[in-house]
């Protein structure tokens, strides 16, 4: 396949400023279909700002964002979600007063109907055979079956994080963007999330912004390192981490 046909998201010289501060500085970037890419960098490197540019929460002052060859630079987050770009956030966004099953069913129904259906209206649709089947399939995929009837407010943070990823996955995204999915988790919880998550990489195009480098290396196909708004290295994870500029920025060597 021609590489241009496989490119899902591409940026050309995107720049984002906040007053005199340049948060993202003329970044060129691309991610291929069904590839998993990680973006790391020190605090203030521009990682989350760049993710906001990709997902429509910010617009760049200059440069362009393309999705499957179409310029989406000025498209709203809602339009990008409808097109298949779905993002999770640093804080787990689930409904604590609903069960795991209900949260997943709601995520599927909202995407299918392309509407933020009020909860009281959703309950009457929960028993639809298609919703039931898809929800149970996803529960099994993400090993959440034993927790199906558990109220989400009672879950450990690691289980909530896995549920959040499952809720994004059930919406059948083309691109799944994860913003610090390991935030607040213990090492054991991270290992559990990554163990389940790795089973489904290469089934979706996945972009992960994260601080925990050691946990990311075994998950991603390529790794990008941001520093002072620029991508200073981008390639195979171990080679990228050995890059002299990356070593200087991270480990001062």
């Amino acid at each position: 396949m021609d590489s241009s046909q496989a490119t899902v998201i591409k940026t050309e010289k995107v720049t984002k400023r906040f007053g005199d501060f340049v948060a993202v500085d003329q970044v060129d970037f691309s991610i291929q279909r069904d590839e998993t890419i990680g973006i790391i960098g020190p605090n203030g490197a521009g990682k989350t700002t760049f993710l906001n540019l990709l997902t429509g929460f910010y617009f760049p002052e200059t440069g362009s964002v393309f999705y499957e060859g179409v310029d989406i630079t000025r498209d709203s987050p809602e339009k990008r979600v409808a097109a298949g770009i779905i993002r999770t956030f640093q804080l787990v966004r689930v409904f604590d007063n609903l069960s795991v099953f209900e949260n997943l069913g709601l995520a599927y129904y909202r995407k299918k109907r392309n509407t933020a259906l009020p909860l009281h209206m959703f309950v009457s649709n929960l028993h639809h055979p298609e919703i039931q089947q898809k929800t149970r399939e996803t529960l099994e995929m993400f090993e959440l079956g034993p927790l199906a009837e558990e109220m989400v407010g009672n879950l450990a943070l690691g289980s909530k994080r896995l549920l959040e990823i499952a809720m994004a996955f059930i919406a059948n995204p083309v691109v799944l963007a994860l913003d610090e999915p390991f935030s607040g988790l213990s090492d054991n919880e991270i290992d559990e999330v990554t163990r389940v998550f790795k089973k489904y990489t290469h089934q979706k195009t996945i972009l992960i912004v994260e601080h925990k480098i050691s946990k990311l290396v075994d998950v991603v196909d390529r790794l990008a390192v941001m520093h002072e708004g620029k991508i200073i290295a981008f390639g195979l994870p171990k080679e990228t981490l050995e890059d002299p500029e990356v070593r200087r920025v991270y480990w001062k060597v």
Side-chain angles (χ1 to χ4, degrees):
M1 178 183 294
D2 184 88
S3 61
S4 63
Q5 293 177 328
T7 299
V8 179
I9 287 182
K10 179 181 180 181
T11 68
E12 294 181 351
K13 306 296 183 188
V14 292
T15 297
K16 179 63 182 176
R17 297 182 181 89
F18 297 98
D20 293 332
F21 175 66
V22 182
V24 174
D25 190 1
Q26 297 193 43
V27 169
D28 294 325
F29 173 86
S30 66
I31 182 169
Q32 311 303 310
R33 183 171 298 279
D34 296 338
E35 182 179 34
T36 299
I37 282 183
I39 299 179
I40 63 171
N43 287 332
K47 304 181 302 296
T48 297
T49 300
F50 182 60
L51 191 62
N52 283 332
L53 293 171
L54 296 181
T55 53
F57 290 90
Y58 294 152
F59 295 154
E61 275 74 37
T62 59
S64 301
V65 181
F66 297 93
Y67 173 62
E68 297 188 325
V70 177
D71 190 331
I72 61 166
T73 308
R74 300 291 164 182
D75 285 358
S76 67
E78 293 77 16
K79 188 170 182 179
R80 297 186 204 202
V81 167
I85 302 173
I86 293 180
R87 173 187 179 174
T88 66
F89 289 81
Q90 289 166 284
L91 298 177
V92 177
R93 296 194 172 191
V94 292
F95 295 99
D96 284 349
N97 59 335
L98 297 178
S99 69
V100 170
F101 188 94
E102 289 168 334
N103 268 271
L104 272 174
L106 178 59
Y108 179 66
Y109 190 87
R110 282 181 164 176
K111 174 61 177 177
K112 183 176 177 60
R113 298 293 184 180
N114 195 27
T115 181
L117 189 72
L119 292 182
H120 72 276
M121 292 180 63
F122 161 72
V123 172
S124 64
N125 290 278
L126 182 61
H127 299 292
H128 189 282
E130 181 182 349
I131 295 177
Q132 290 272 320
Q133 179 180 350
K134 188 65 177 180
T135 302
R136 295 194 186 284
E137 287 175 359
T138 307
L139 284 168
E140 183 176 346
M141 285 173 59
F142 285 87
E143 301 182 13
L144 290 167
L147 299 174
E149 302 306 320
E150 188 74 37
M151 298 300 289
V152 170
N154 298 331
L155 296 181
L157 183 57
S159 296
K160 280 189 177 182
R161 191 77 66 191
L162 200 56
L163 172 61
E164 185 188 36
I165 296 172
M167 288 171 67
F169 208 94
I170 200 174
N172 194 30
V174 176
V175 177
L176 176 58
L178 306 176
D179 191 6
E180 298 196 16
F182 306 149
S183 177
L185 303 186
S186 68
D187 284 346
N188 287 339
E189 287 175 320
I190 293 171
D191 290 342
E192 178 65 14
V193 169
T194 55
R195 182 186 65 78
V196 176
F197 180 67
K198 283 169 65 175
K199 295 193 299 182
Y200 303 104
T201 56
H202 301 139
Q203 295 185 25
K204 299 289 180 188
T205 304
I206 300 170
L207 180 62
I208 307 173
V209 170
E210 186 50 68
H211 283 293
K212 294 180 174 64
I213 302 172
S214 62
K215 301 296 185 179
L216 203 58
V217 169
D218 292 332
V219 177
V220 300
D221 299 306
R222 290 192 293 155
L223 187 66
V225 181
M226 291 193 73
H227 178 56
E228 295 181 347
K230 296 180 180 289
I231 292 181
I232 61 172
F234 191 11
L236 296 176
K238 291 183 180 179
E239 293 178 6
T240 299
L241 294 177
E242 289 297 320
D243 182 277
E245 183 67 4
V246 173
R247 290 171 61 84
R248 184 189 70 79
V249 167
Y250 262 102
W251 296 287
K252 312 300 182 185
V253 297

